[in-house]
Amino acid sequence: VNNTYLWNTGSKAREISINSSGTYWAVIGDSNSCSVSDTISVILNSPPKLDLGTDTSICGDSMQIISQPFTSYTWNTNETNQGINVYASCNYWVNIVDSNGCKANDSIAVSLNYNAPPILTRIGDIIFSNKDGDHKWFRNGMLVSSFNNIYGITSYGEYSATHVDTNGCLSD
């Protein structure tokens, strides 16, 4: 078949590629000098802009990941909400669909650094923590020392401590 093609873009190819919205038409002619034309209106939607943020490391045992608003969500946790609560260090991803039916996906690596509170033991006038490293010592809720895992009692009061881990995270 020796058909000829003429598009409103000037192309004489059987098919054209477009990169902008608009109205396109073509005239197709055959060897018998017969022709037919057709018109199509094309709307090209911008792809959805999905960004879960940069990979992150936080102090704590949970965090919330929230996506921008879209029509539907499918997380690798099988949840279908705009946001999810995560309780483990892991890579999390979401597939979304916007109101135009366009799809996108993104992922984020989350590292949760939970630092459990130290267990304190008192022997005489010395308080020992079960954790090595830096501690913040408190008497009656006021900071009295930032030192290691042993504290010498100097006056009457209620003593507590928080541990600072290698990530800089304070215990509860």
Side-chain angles (χ1 to χ4, degrees), residues 12 20 32 36 41 73 84 87 114-115 139 151 167 169:
K12 295 182 179 183
S20 63
N32 296 321
V36 64
S41 293
Y73 312 84
I84 60 172
Y87 302 96
Y114 177 68
N115 186 5
R139 181 180 61 239
Y151 182 75
N167 296 307
C169 298

Side-chain angles (χ1 to χ4, degrees), residues 134-138 143 145-148 160-164 170:
D134 293 337
H135 286 67
K136 293 185 183 290
W137 291 93
F138 300 87
L143 181 66
S145 175
S146 293
F147 200 53
N148 61 22
S160 62
T162 58
H163 176 251
V164 183
L170 287 174

Side-chain angles (χ1 to χ4, degrees), residues 3-29:
N3 290 338
T4 60
Y5 302 88
L6 177 61
W7 291 88
N8 63 326
T9 62
S11 174
K12 295 182 179 183
R14 183 170 187 240
E15 299 174 358
I16 62 170
S17 295
I18 59 170
N19 56 15
S20 63
S21 298
T23 301
Y24 298 89
W25 53 261
V27 177
I28 303 168

Side-chain angles (χ1 to χ4, degrees), residues 36-91:
V36 64
S37 66
D38 200 3
T39 303
I40 186 169
S41 293
V42 176
I43 298 173
L44 294 178
N45 295 307
S46 299
K49 292 182 177 160
L50 172 63
D51 185 9
L52 295 178
T54 58
D55 295 347
T56 190
S57 178
I58 67 160
C59 296
D61 60 357
S62 67
M63 75 173 281
Q64 189 175 51
I65 304 171
I66 300 176
S67 165
Q68 297 90 336
F70 293 105
T71 303
S72 72
Y73 312 84
T74 305
W75 294 87
N76 61 322
T77 60
N78 292 325
E79 294 177 72
T80 57
N81 297 320
Q82 181 178 352
I84 60 172
N85 293 314
V86 298
Y87 302 96
S89 295
C90 192
N91 290 324

